[in-house]
Amino acid sequence: MPRINSPYQWQVIVYELRSEKYLCLTQEELARRLEATVGAVSKWERGIAVPQPRLRTKLRELASQAGYDPSKWPLATKPISIVR
């Protein structure tokens, strides 16, 4: 997973939240907590889709409980292409 310094990258946010540093969850565990599908979480991490508003709210709650830096939170929901 490339590190991208952009406030718009949901894939970085979800990946970091799931990491050992914060929630230490698998995609399945995060999906269960959010009442979402594993496929949805996978799409977010791959930058194919963004979370729905109700799921963004739940993600924000989990992030604040885990001590995730609020300045990293996306300012927009449109995914940005990764240029390699």
Side-chain angles (χ1 to χ4, degrees):
M1 180 76 191
R3 179 84 175 129
I4 304 165
N5 296 320
S6 168
Y8 305 104
Q9 297 295 335
W10 279 100
Q11 63 263 37
V12 172
I13 304 298
V14 174
Y15 181 80
E16 285 183 346
L17 275 175
R18 281 195 327 100
S19 74
E20 290 181 13
K21 184 176 178 182
Y22 296 101
L23 297 172
C24 194
L25 297 174
T26 64
Q27 285 183 346
E28 278 185 37
E29 292 167 333
L30 180 61
R32 260 188 250 121
R33 279 194 174 185
L34 296 174
E35 298 175 1
T37 65
V38 177
V41 174
S42 175
K43 286 179 181 180
W44 303 338
E45 286 191 9
R46 290 183 288 146
I48 295 171
V50 297
Q52 297 171 347
R54 73 173 180 85
L55 298 175
R56 289 194 296 260
T57 301
K58 288 183 177 187
L59 276 169
R60 186 179 289 274
E61 289 170 6
L62 284 175
S64 69
Q65 291 169 7
Y68 192 76
D69 181 1
S71 69
K72 292 182 176 183
W73 202 257
L75 301 175
T77 59
K78 182 179 178 186
I80 294 177
S81 303
I82 300 172
V83 178
R84 293 181 189 228

